[in-house]
Amino acid sequence: MPKIKGNLIIGQSGGATAVINSSLAGAVAEALRHEEVGEIYGMLDGVQGLLQEQLIDLRAQVGTPQKLDELKHTPSAALGMCRYKLNDSERERILAILKKYNIRYFLYAGGNDSADTCHRLDLMSREAGYELHAIGIPKTIDNDLPQMDHCPGYGSIARFLAIATQDSGIDSQAAHLVHPIKLIEVMGRNAGWVAASAVLGKRREEDAPHLIYTPERRLDPARFLQDVQEVYKKYGYCVAVIGETVRGPDGKTLGTQAEPYLVDSFGHKYYHGPAHYLMGLIIKELGITARYDKPGTIQRMSMLCASPVDLDEAWEAGAVAARRAIGGETGLMVTLLRGQDENGGYKCEYGVTALENIANTEHKMPVSYINAAGNFVTQDFIDYALPLIGGPIPAYLKLDRAALVKTSL
Amino acid sequence: MPKIKGNLIIGQSGGATAVINSSLAGAVAEALRHEEVGEIYGMLDGVQGLLQEQLIDLRAQVGTPQKLDELKHTPSAALGMCRYKLNDSERERILAILKKYNIRYFLYAGGNDSADTCHRLDLMSREAGYELHAIGIPKTIDNDLPQMDHCPGYGSIARFLAIATQDSGIDSQAAHLVHPIKLIEVMGRNAGWVAASAVLGKRREEDAPHLIYTPERRLDPARFLQDVQEVYKKYGYCVAVIGETVRGPDGKTLGTQAEPYLVDSFGHKYYHGPAHYLMGLIIKELGITARYDKPGTIQRMSMLCASPVDLDEAWEAGAVAARRAIGGETGLMVTLLRGQDENGGYKCEYGVTALENIANTEHKMPVSYINAAGNFVTQDFIDYALPLIGGPIPAYLKLDRAALVKTSL
């Protein structure tokens, strides 16, 4: 019977997703299976809470299969999150806390900033000669972490946007006499993975979305107006999806060319996004009624729209991290890689990479996923992304508007 | 065996909902049962399409139980909609079309503008001595039609917002160190039914939403800031729901006091809504980070969030309309009334009222549904609305943040 080697702690960091609690549940489930793990702590609000000794007992709170399943199906970060950069002056403080609670396994779910935090903690403890096994669990809806095929959280925002764009499409077609142009501004930091995912509910050429603009390509407003008008002429309506950081010809995010609508007391400037700017252009230049939707935070943490594939993979990513840490490894982040099942279909495999390979690096969409005109995605992208949302979304009935009744009366 | 008396036509009008196709399906299903009904036509884009003889054959396109069930579960208006006021000069044209297609049953799903259209058509045909049975099917997410307990479409937007607000709440609590204040601006024309529905996922006092502002009460910005700060001090975060037409002390919609951000070529002015204005106030006056979400059209036609009760009632409202028309009645709109089942629980009963009682009248929230401070709803409202969304929404797991680990080391 192995001796208890120490306690395990887990934290969540950065913008929450629909499945980050599934990673938490997977890690706890795995930790429960290892006798060398004593307490299983959750840190509230990431390392910022850890610095204040805000620890809760996860073994007591979610240590049963039923509670873990409930946790898996709870969106957003149950432990709370932070955006906090550990600095060297906090080194002694944090090491003292790790020692005080006899923490030997440190798991941290987040994106590249969180990988940086986990990496620093690993270095600090090595330098101090304190044995700590620190492993990162990938998490970001942006899908922009390097060294991996895709990131937990992405499949679920992709499924949300596939459904929301399909819904917006049939609504815009129904309202073509009143509101024919709909823009949808979506998240995605500096990469277009999220915007691109709006295509995943499209079945016919005339279906929404008709246009997709990702931050990888600059958007020329004159060309954009041409694109919209062409689609509108062809189908009588148009749905265009715009990444929230799409840049204009000057390289700046569209919308920031105007004056900020607000400047706060710290001097931070608040600007409208690209969709607001482009909607104004359509109304003024084309004289067509246009609207935009900006789904907001709901897009990244809707449990109703969560991808079942993403939910399961996030769990497994958490479990792998716990297993690796308990097995004695450190300084790594779990990676999700694309394998093949026995029928040549999609299968996720799990690996690791050094945390320093993740921190402060962004993985953008490859050229082959964006069409030549820069206003849509390619079939290669669809083939890549469709398995991540758990296959096609439910289809709706579509009436044949062209089959008009002829009467000889 | 009854002789075929004529053909039936059905149209959809005004902003689409998640369940307006369920009414269409219910009406078609009922019409299929009556041998006196010949053709079953759908008019594309409401009366605007009818004026252009844009008719499709619904018996051919959805005349099977399976197709009708698919139609029931398709959100938005499958036939297309319009916002078009019939004028007297079109009287001859529209009567000629009704005669040409031998239309004797006219069903029209919509809100009060659509009731007005249906009413005009009824009068026109009476005056011309043309036998037409025109019945309205109620439809509006705004829930503001008079003469009825509630409207088809409301239960589904209410369920969407109950879920979205619960999701936003746990997300805002998780992000309390970074983004503690969240405003959600929702639809609802001049009544607060939609804003109020955000409460329906709330279980504990500390859960979101903490504040709800409806258009029935004017919002005093200074008082609003006090409200937000009190909640923030108490819980460390705050989620406030704002109706899109909430008015300030001057009686004008909040946001329209500023300059319009856009004026189109017709001179229409575009203003930011109340949430945009109030977010700015919080940032400037309280110095706290605030954000707002405006779910947009997705809130009113999400099938994933549709209320099963609403879906079934919308079907039945369509069926009742068809039955009444075929039975020889005209000039009426179907109403949804609150009855009781044998156990004293919720039950919907169906009645009718004259179309002229519906047209151009709005039913606002009663005083007893809004608290004295005007910043939340009452238990009476919750008791009224909860059955309409099909009962409580799924609960999430919540970790106990207060149960901090104490260590004696």
Side-chain angles (χ1 to χ4, degrees):
Chain A
M1 200 173 171
K3 217 174 117 243
I4 288 176
K5 276 189 64 181
N7 300 325
L8 180 145
I9 196 166
I10 179 164
Q12 299 172 315
S13 176
T17 75
V19 303
I20 187 171
N21 287 334
S22 184
S23 289
L24 172 59
V28 172
E30 181 66 27
L32 286 169
R33 297 178 53 234
H34 295 266
E35 292 177 340
E36 53 270 56
V37 175
E39 302 298 334
I40 303 174
Y41 295 132
M43 67 185 97
L44 299 182
D45 310 327
V47 288
Q48 207 170 341
L50 179 59
L51 283 166
Q52 293 164 38
E53 298 183 56
Q54 306 261 310
L55 271 51
I56 61 172
D57 181 350
L58 291 177
R59 201 187 273 276
Q61 290 204 32
V62 293
T64 64
Q66 194 205 321
K67 287 285 175 193
L68 288 172
D69 190 66
E70 283 177 37
L71 181 59
K72 177 182 178 181
H73 293 98
T74 294
S76 199
L79 287 169
M81 54 70 87
C82 67
R83 293 195 190 281
Y84 190 80
K85 235 180 159 64
L86 268 189
N87 60 63
D88 287 338
S89 72
E90 286 157 334
R91 178 192 154 122
E92 297 310 317
R93 168 99 186 110
I94 206 148
L95 283 168
I97 293 169
L98 293 175
K99 285 177 192 165
K100 177 175 172 185
Y101 291 88
N102 191 28
I103 291 165
R104 297 293 172 177
Y105 311 108
F106 183 95
L107 307 180
Y108 208 49
N112 25 36
D113 288 344
S114 312
D116 182 62
T117 297
C118 199
H119 180 49
R120 278 163 190 260
L121 207 69
D122 180 50
L123 290 182
M124 285 177 184
S125 54
R126 277 177 206 248
E127 283 164 17
Y130 178 77
E131 187 189 342
L132 184 74
H133 303 281
I135 306 277
I137 303 167
K139 173 251 41 157
T140 175
I141 57 119
D142 298 315
N143 203 39
D144 61 355
L145 298 181
Q147 308 286 331
M148 57 192 87
D149 178 73
H150 61 280
C151 307
Y154 175 61
S156 293
I157 192 172
R159 189 155 182 276
F160 177 95
L161 288 174
I163 293 171
T165 307
Q166 177 180 241
D167 285 2
S168 271
I170 58 170
D171 189 58
S172 296
Q173 190 175 21
H176 70 107
L177 294 176
V178 184
H179 292 292
I181 314 291
K182 166 69 70 77
L183 308 182
I184 305 176
E185 184 179 304
V186 304
M187 295 181 167
R189 215 150 42 166
N190 295 310
W193 299 104
V194 173
S197 70
V199 77
L200 299 172
K202 186 176 174 117
R203 284 181 174 81
R204 290 159 291 244
E205 204 209 320
E206 66 266 29
D207 289 350
H210 306 103
L211 300 165
I212 296 176
Y213 299 92
T214 68
E216 280 82 359
R217 300 282 280 269
R218 294 192 180 176
L219 185 152
D220 171 33
R223 176 63 207 279
F224 169 80
L225 289 175
Q226 266 181 25
D227 289 350
V228 168
Q229 198 154 35
E230 264 172 39
V231 172
Y232 175 61
K233 277 190 182 160
K234 198 165 175 188
Y235 301 120
Y237 76 110
C238 174
V239 175
V241 175
I242 325 275
E244 64 183 355
T245 57
V246 162
R247 289 162 183 81
D250 62 358
K252 290 195 208 160
T253 300
L254 280 174
T256 60
Q257 291 80 1
E259 289 298 304
Y261 63 79
L262 183 77
V263 181
D264 71 15
S265 55
F266 299 100
H268 296 141
K269 293 172 179 172
Y270 291 70
Y271 294 98
H272 287 299
H276 185 86
Y277 167 74
L278 295 170
M279 176 192 76
L281 269 193
I282 294 169
I283 292 171
K284 279 184 294 187
E285 304 294 329
L286 301 184
I288 311 174
T289 316
R291 295 197 289 190
Y292 73 96
D293 278 353
K294 207 174 158 174
T297 49
I298 189 183
Q299 67 189 289
R300 64 166 161 72
M301 46 73 186
S302 163
M303 182 51 65
L304 266 181
C305 294
S307 156
V309 169
D310 192 25
L311 267 172
D312 288 345
E313 290 180 359
W315 175 291
E316 194 56 29
V320 169
R323 208 176 304 139
R324 294 273 189 163
I326 297 164
E329 294 178 81
T330 188
L332 303 173
M333 182 174 255
V334 174
T335 56
L336 278 66
L337 306 168
R338 187 164 300 225
Q340 279 196 344
D341 67 13
E342 52 273 31
N343 306 315
Y346 170 81
K347 184 184 162 194
C348 184
E349 290 170 356
Y350 301 85
V352 285
T353 188
L355 280 165
E356 60 201 90
N357 292 337
I358 300 286
N360 313 316
T361 316
E362 284 174 345
H363 174 51
K364 297 194 181 181
M365 287 179 79
V367 174
S368 64
Y369 285 0
I370 302 172
N371 72 355
N375 62 9
F376 210 69
V377 297
T378 61
Q379 186 60 42
D380 278 2
F381 169 76
I382 297 172
D383 295 341
Y384 159 82
L386 206 51
L388 308 180
I389 67 168
I393 60 172
Y396 295 138
L397 183 137
K398 203 156 189 171
L399 294 176
D400 182 358
R401 290 175 60 96
L404 292 181
V405 171
K406 309 280 182 207
T407 179
S408 53
L409 284 175
Chain B
M1 201 174 172
K3 218 174 114 241
I4 288 176
K5 276 188 64 181
N7 300 325
L8 180 144
I9 196 166
I10 179 165
Q12 299 172 314
S13 176
T17 75
V19 303
I20 188 171
N21 287 335
S22 184
S23 290
L24 172 59
V28 172
E30 181 66 27
L32 286 169
R33 298 178 52 235
H34 295 266
E35 291 177 340
E36 53 270 56
V37 176
E39 302 298 334
I40 303 174
Y41 295 132
M43 66 185 98
L44 299 182
D45 309 327
V47 288
Q48 207 170 340
L50 178 59
L51 283 166
Q52 293 164 37
E53 298 183 56
Q54 306 261 311
L55 272 51
I56 61 172
D57 181 350
L58 291 176
R59 201 188 273 276
Q61 290 205 31
V62 292
T64 64
Q66 194 205 320
K67 287 284 175 195
L68 288 172
D69 190 66
E70 283 176 37
L71 181 59
K72 177 182 178 181
H73 293 98
T74 294
S76 199
L79 287 169
M81 54 71 88
C82 67
R83 293 194 190 281
Y84 190 80
K85 235 179 160 64
L86 268 189
N87 60 63
D88 287 338
S89 71
E90 287 157 333
R91 179 192 153 122
E92 298 310 318
R93 168 100 186 111
I94 205 148
L95 283 168
I97 294 169
L98 293 175
K99 284 177 193 165
K100 177 175 172 185
Y101 291 88
N102 191 28
I103 292 164
R104 297 293 172 177
Y105 311 108
F106 183 95
L107 308 180
Y108 208 49
N112 25 37
D113 288 344
S114 312
D116 182 62
T117 297
C118 199
H119 180 49
R120 277 163 191 260
L121 207 68
D122 180 49
L123 290 182
M124 285 178 184
S125 54
R126 277 176 206 248
E127 284 164 17
Y130 178 77
E131 187 190 342
L132 184 74
H133 303 281
I135 306 276
I137 303 167
K139 173 251 40 158
T140 174
I141 57 119
D142 297 316
N143 203 39
D144 61 355
L145 299 181
Q147 307 286 332
M148 57 192 87
D149 178 72
H150 61 280
C151 308
Y154 175 62
S156 293
I157 192 172
R159 188 155 182 277
F160 177 95
L161 288 174
I163 293 171
T165 306
Q166 178 180 240
D167 285 2
S168 272
I170 57 170
D171 189 57
S172 296
Q173 190 176 21
H176 69 107
L177 294 176
V178 184
H179 292 292
I181 314 291
K182 166 69 70 79
L183 308 182
I184 306 175
E185 184 179 304
V186 304
M187 295 182 167
R189 216 150 42 167
N190 295 310
W193 299 104
V194 173
S197 69
V199 78
L200 299 172
K202 186 176 174 115
R203 284 182 174 80
R204 290 159 291 244
E205 204 210 319
E206 66 266 29
D207 289 350
H210 306 103
L211 299 165
I212 296 176
Y213 300 91
T214 69
E216 281 82 359
R217 301 282 279 271
R218 294 192 180 177
L219 185 152
D220 172 33
R223 177 63 207 279
F224 168 81
L225 289 174
Q226 266 180 26
D227 289 350
V228 168
Q229 198 154 34
E230 264 172 38
V231 172
Y232 175 61
K233 276 190 183 161
K234 198 165 175 186
Y235 301 120
Y237 76 110
C238 174
V239 175
V241 175
I242 325 275
E244 64 183 355
T245 57
V246 162
R247 288 161 183 82
D250 63 358
K252 290 194 207 160
T253 300
L254 280 174
T256 60
Q257 291 80 1
E259 290 297 304
Y261 64 79
L262 183 77
V263 181
D264 71 16
S265 55
F266 299 100
H268 296 142
K269 293 173 179 170
Y270 291 70
Y271 294 98
H272 288 299
H276 185 86
Y277 167 74
L278 294 170
M279 176 192 76
L281 269 193
I282 294 168
I283 293 171
K284 279 184 294 187
E285 303 294 329
L286 301 184
I288 311 174
T289 316
R291 295 196 289 189
Y292 73 96
D293 278 352
K294 207 174 159 175
T297 50
I298 188 183
Q299 66 189 289
R300 64 166 161 72
M301 46 73 187
S302 163
M303 181 51 65
L304 266 181
C305 294
S307 156
V309 169
D310 192 25
L311 267 172
D312 288 345
E313 290 180 359
W315 174 291
E316 194 56 28
V320 169
R323 208 176 304 139
R324 294 273 190 163
I326 298 164
E329 294 178 82
T330 188
L332 303 173
M333 182 173 255
V334 174
T335 55
L336 279 65
L337 306 168
R338 187 164 301 226
Q340 278 196 344
D341 67 14
E342 52 273 31
N343 306 316
Y346 170 82
K347 183 184 163 196
C348 185
E349 290 171 356
Y350 302 85
V352 285
T353 188
L355 281 165
E356 60 202 89
N357 293 336
I358 300 287
N360 313 316
T361 316
E362 285 175 345
H363 175 51
K364 297 193 181 182
M365 287 179 78
V367 175
S368 64
Y369 285 0
I370 302 172
N371 72 355
N375 62 9
F376 210 69
V377 297
T378 61
Q379 186 61 42
D380 278 2
F381 169 76
I382 296 172
D383 295 341
Y384 158 82
L386 207 52
L388 308 180
I389 67 167
I393 59 172
Y396 295 138
L397 183 137
K398 203 157 188 170
L399 294 176
D400 182 359
R401 291 175 60 95
L404 292 181
V405 171
K406 309 280 181 206
T407 179
S408 53
L409 284 175

